Amino acid sequence: MIKVLIADDQAMVRQGFGALLAAQPDLLVVGDAADGVAAVHKSRTLAPDVVLMDIRMPVMDGLEATRRLAGGPKVLILTTFDLDDYVYEALRAGASGFLLKDAPAADLINAVRVVAGGEALLAPSVTRRLIAEFAARPQRDKALPAALNALTPRETDVLRLIARGRSNQEIAAELVVAEQTVKTHIGRILAKLNLRDRAQAVVFAYETGLVIPG
C-alpha cells in the first residue's frame, strides 16, 4: 500500500485529488496540509511514501518544505505551468517529479506509483525546460568530478542520454540493448554517484559539465 499526503492551499484540490487516489486499491491517503509547515509536520508524523506538493502555498512554500523533507518521502511537485520557473530549484531541493494540475486523472495515479517505486517523473517539457535553464548559463570550463571515474563507459553513455531527456525505451533503442539492461545501468549509476533518482542524475550531469546544453 502506497501512503500519500496531499499538500495544497486549495481545499477543492486536496479533496478532489484525495477522492481520486483513495479510490485506488493500492493507494492510501493518510492526510492533507494547506501550507508548507503543516506538510512538513504531517509528513514526519504520518510517514507517507509520497507527498503531492504544491509550490505556491502560504506560511512556507513547497520548495522550502521539499528541502526540509530531503531524505524522507518522495515529493511529487504539483504545478499549474509546465514552464514554471521553479523546476530546477525544486529538483535541487529534492523533488522526484513534476505533475501538471490539469493532467488527466490516470496520469496523477500513475505518477504517484512511479515516484513511489523510486523512478523520477520528468515530463519531456520539464526536461526541455531544465536543459534550457542550463543552456542560458555562462559555461565555465570545469574538471569532471572524480566520482565519474567510477562509471563504466556504457554507464557514462546512459547518464548522458538520461540528461538529454531520453526514456528507458529510447535509451535501449539507441544503444541496441534490452530495456531491462538500461534499468540495471541506471541503478548502478545512481548507487555509484550516490544519487537518489533520475531527476538528481539529470541535474548532476549538467552541473558537472558531463553534458553541455545544445
Side-chain angles (χ1 to χ4, degrees):
M1 188 70 78
I2 300 168
K3 297 187 290 182
V4 185
L5 179 81
I6 301 169
D8 194 290
D9 61 343
Q10 295 181 333
M12 284 180 63
V13 172
R14 296 196 304 273
Q15 290 164 8
F17 284 176
L20 185 66
L21 296 175
Q24 305 305 309
D26 59 332
L27 304 180
L28 175 67
V29 178
V30 293
D32 61 31
D35 62 67
V37 170
V40 172
H41 174 71
K42 290 193 175 183
S43 291
R44 287 173 178 163
T45 56
L46 299 172
D49 300 301
V50 177
V51 178
L52 289 182
M53 184 82 77
D54 188 23
I55 284 191
R56 297 183 178 93
M57 291 189 292
V59 190
M60 179 194 293
D61 67 19
L63 275 180
E64 182 58 30
T66 299
R67 283 189 199 100
R68 296 193 184 195
L69 290 175
K74 302 288 196 304
V75 175
L76 182 58
I77 297 286
L78 295 169
T79 179
T80 315
F81 313 104
D82 60 346
L83 295 182
D84 214 315
D85 290 337
Y86 301 110
V87 167
Y88 175 67
E89 284 306 319
L91 283 178
R92 294 218 52 191
S96 289
F98 289 83
L99 190 71
L100 297 181
K101 283 188 180 179
D102 60 358
D107 286 5
L108 171 67
I109 294 162
N110 178 61
V112 170
R113 290 175 179 148
V114 165
V115 169
E119 288 280 326
L121 192 91
L122 291 175
S125 58
V126 171
T127 304
R128 283 196 297 272
R129 171 74 183 192
L130 258 185
I131 292 169
E133 165 91 32
F134 284 104
R137 296 175 174 205
Q139 291 300 316
R140 296 186 301 277
D141 290 331
K142 288 181 279 195
L144 294 179
L148 283 170
N149 295 334
L151 302 185
T152 65
R154 180 42 63 94
E155 287 165 355
T156 305
D157 290 341
V158 170
L159 179 55
R160 284 196 176 98
L161 291 170
I162 290 172
R164 294 287 184 206
R166 305 283 200 279
S167 68
N168 287 0
Q169 195 173 7
E170 289 167 339
I171 294 171
E174 192 156 333
L175 299 180
V176 198
V177 296
E179 200 170 333
Q180 184 56 48
T181 303
V182 173
K183 289 181 180 176
T184 301
H185 283 316
I186 292 172
R188 287 178 180 152
I189 290 165
L190 299 181
K192 287 179 178 180
L193 298 179
N194 196 26
L195 300 172
R196 192 190 58 251
D197 56 29
R198 197 186 194 99
Q200 280 198 332
V202 173
V203 173
F204 177 90
Y206 282 100
E207 287 197 328
T208 57
L210 176 68
V211 175
I212 306 297

